[in-house]
Amino acid sequence: MKELEYSGKPLAYLDQNILDGFLNCIQTEPDFVKGFLERVQVVYSNITLQEIYRAGIKDSKYSDEFLVLLDQLSAIYIEAKINEKFEFTGQMRLLSGSVKEIYEKYINESLKYDEFINPLQKSIFAMYGGIQDYEGMADSQIKAQYALLEFLEQQINILKNEKIKHPLYDLFIKQKENELEGLRKQMPEFEESVRQNSNHLKQLNNETDAHLAYRKGLQINIDEINKIKSPKVLKKIWETLKKSNPSLAEVEFDDFLKIRNVTHNFGKIHAIYTNLNLSGFRPEKKVKNEKKFVSAQSDISHVAYASYCDYFITNDERLADKSNAIYEYLEIPTEILNIPKFLDN
């Protein structure tokens, strides 16, 4: 893979439903595809690869078809930039190279992180009544954290085995060892927090699904919420909620959205999108089904990656409405279009 110093056509991030459409028309409507590619540079992310991987679980031919498609579209890969402390910088980089090679690297390297991430997402799944065994959920989250600590130790040992003789290198390794030891010392507190959260979610789901209980507690009228139109969708939702909940008068909106201490828009998008779903604005359907839930979580990441591009192209109206509301609030200039609007643009 090679990082690009890109200054070409506008970047277009394609939702999975758009890729499905291209898969069906790339042979039957070559002029449309050619015209599309003359206007934009197609971009894809590890979430695209994640969805391609899931498509091929039962039959790898489906994954292969999407990988060939991305090559046919001359798509380039967008990836988060990480600093020397392994922290997200808030920036992205574009990489060229064989889609198949990038996909294989994703399978061999990135996919293993799902072992650590997926159990933590169970708490969100539980908000939609998708969890039956709350104790098992807590056990899996604690187990995942211990697995992460073990993985971090393995990475430190790999660095040690490089046997690079340099004071700064030794200092970096020592810093990582100290950070790992700090995380280990926090494990009792982490375990207690996980158990408390699990019990809290169990209580919330006692009579009805937790997200419905959440809406009831805030006296949310979904029909009223979904009549809200742009501009300033998020502000209008907030004013609607405050009318029904005087206690929110003293609450700052960014605190309600849980983005006060989030540094980058990438993380803010995840938080706001989740809040919109819970509040009932263009909510996802059937997310008690785990497959639907996983797909909905992928949508959030698509929106986050697309925020670094000129266009986010999707035919999903719910996704487009929520994305528009978020981009507007965060002053992100990405334009959200479906295929007909793109052709008219």
Side-chain angles (χ1 to χ4, degrees):
M1 291 187 292
K2 181 181 178 182
E3 184 169 359
L4 298 175
E5 292 185 8
Y6 187 78
S7 59
K9 292 174 288 188
L11 300 177
Y13 189 99
L14 309 187
D15 187 20
Q16 197 67 23
N17 55 52
I18 300 297
L19 288 179
D20 287 338
F22 272 107
L23 200 61
N24 294 326
C25 77
I26 194 163
Q27 300 299 332
T28 60
E29 300 180 56
D31 290 341
F32 162 73
V33 176
K34 180 182 177 182
F36 183 86
L37 296 178
E38 285 175 350
R39 294 177 58 186
V40 298
Q41 170 62 60
V42 174
V43 172
Y44 68 100
S45 71
N46 65 333
I47 304 301
T48 311
L49 298 179
Q50 186 182 88
E51 296 212 67
I52 289 174
Y53 170 77
R54 290 201 300 265
I57 288 176
K58 290 185 178 180
D59 191 335
S60 63
K61 75 173 185 177
Y62 295 111
S63 293
D64 294 339
E65 288 176 355
F66 280 114
L67 297 177
V68 170
L69 172 66
L70 289 173
D71 267 329
Q72 291 174 317
L73 297 176
S74 301
I76 55 179
Y77 183 60
I78 188 169
E79 180 182 67
K81 280 189 175 182
I82 307 299
N83 64 20
E84 68 279 358
K85 295 182 179 180
F86 301 105
E87 298 168 336
F88 177 45
T89 63
Q91 299 177 318
M92 295 283 168
R93 61 178 181 166
L94 296 171
L95 301 173
S96 64
S98 162
V99 175
K100 187 173 182 180
E101 289 179 6
I102 293 173
Y103 177 72
E104 288 175 350
K105 182 180 179 183
Y106 165 76
I107 294 297
N108 294 329
E109 297 180 10
S110 301
L111 197 60
K112 63 189 174 186
Y113 293 109
D114 287 352
E115 174 189 355
F116 314 130
I117 297 171
N118 289 348
L120 298 178
Q121 290 191 335
K122 295 290 187 182
S123 292
I124 302 174
F125 190 35
M127 287 295 295
Y128 295 98
I131 298 295
Q132 302 300 319
D133 181 4
Y134 292 91
E135 185 175 344
M137 179 185 76
D139 288 341
S140 69
Q141 291 175 339
I142 293 168
K143 181 180 178 181
Q145 187 69 3
Y146 277 112
L148 175 60
L149 296 181
E150 184 178 342
F151 171 77
L152 292 175
E153 183 175 20
Q154 291 170 356
Q155 299 308 299
I156 291 172
N157 289 333
I158 290 172
L159 292 175
K160 285 182 175 179
N161 290 334
E162 293 291 332
K163 297 180 180 178
I164 297 174
K165 299 298 181 182
H166 193 284
L168 290 179
Y169 190 79
D170 293 338
L171 181 64
F172 176 77
I173 291 176
K174 186 63 178 177
Q175 178 187 1
K176 292 302 159 188
E177 287 179 326
N178 291 338
E179 290 175 1
L180 178 59
E181 183 60 28
L183 290 172
R184 282 181 171 142
K185 289 179 179 178
Q186 293 172 17
M187 280 307 295
E189 183 180 345
F190 174 80
E191 290 188 37
E192 182 180 357
S193 175
V194 167
R195 299 289 182 198
Q196 288 178 350
N197 181 60
S198 176
N199 289 330
H200 179 60
L201 286 168
K202 184 177 181 180
Q203 292 171 7
L204 287 175
N205 282 286
N206 187 40
E207 295 182 0
T208 185
D209 293 344
H211 71 291
L212 298 177
Y214 172 83
R215 292 172 191 169
K216 183 178 180 181
L218 286 175
Q219 302 181 62
I220 292 175
N221 182 320
I222 286 190
D223 291 337
E224 182 181 6
I225 289 289
N226 282 284
K227 287 178 182 177
I228 294 174
K229 306 290 184 182
S230 62
K232 299 182 179 179
V233 168
L234 282 174
K235 287 292 187 181
K236 290 175 182 176
I237 291 175
W238 181 231
E239 292 304 317
T240 299
L241 292 179
K242 287 197 293 185
K243 286 179 183 178
S244 303
N245 300 272
S247 61
L248 294 178
E250 303 301 319
V251 177
E252 293 291 333
F253 189 35
D254 281 1
D255 291 326
F256 178 77
L257 293 173
K258 293 182 169 54
I259 63 171
R260 171 70 63 191
N261 298 314
V262 180
T263 305
H264 307 297
N265 279 342
F266 193 86
K268 291 179 181 180
I269 289 169
H270 281 77
I272 298 174
Y273 196 107
T274 299
N275 187 291
L276 287 174
N277 275 337
L278 290 174
S279 298
F281 180 75
R282 311 291 193 269
E284 309 294 340
K285 292 184 176 181
K286 300 179 180 178
V287 281
K288 188 181 285 191
N289 175 290
E290 189 161 11
K291 185 177 179 180
K292 292 284 188 181
F293 171 77
V294 170
S295 178
Q297 292 302 108
S298 294
D299 283 346
I300 302 177
S301 293
H302 283 317
V303 177
Y305 277 106
S307 70
Y308 290 85
C309 301
D310 298 284
Y311 296 112
F312 177 33
I313 303 181
T314 178
N315 284 334
D316 185 332
E317 291 185 7
R318 295 171 185 270
L319 180 60
D321 286 347
K322 283 180 283 196
S323 302
N324 266 316
I326 295 169
Y327 288 172
E328 178 191 43
Y329 184 71
L330 296 177
E331 299 181 348
I332 293 169
T334 302
E335 191 171 358
I336 304 163
L337 301 170
N338 56 27
I339 288 295
K341 287 182 179 178
F342 177 83
L343 295 175
D344 293 339
N345 200 29

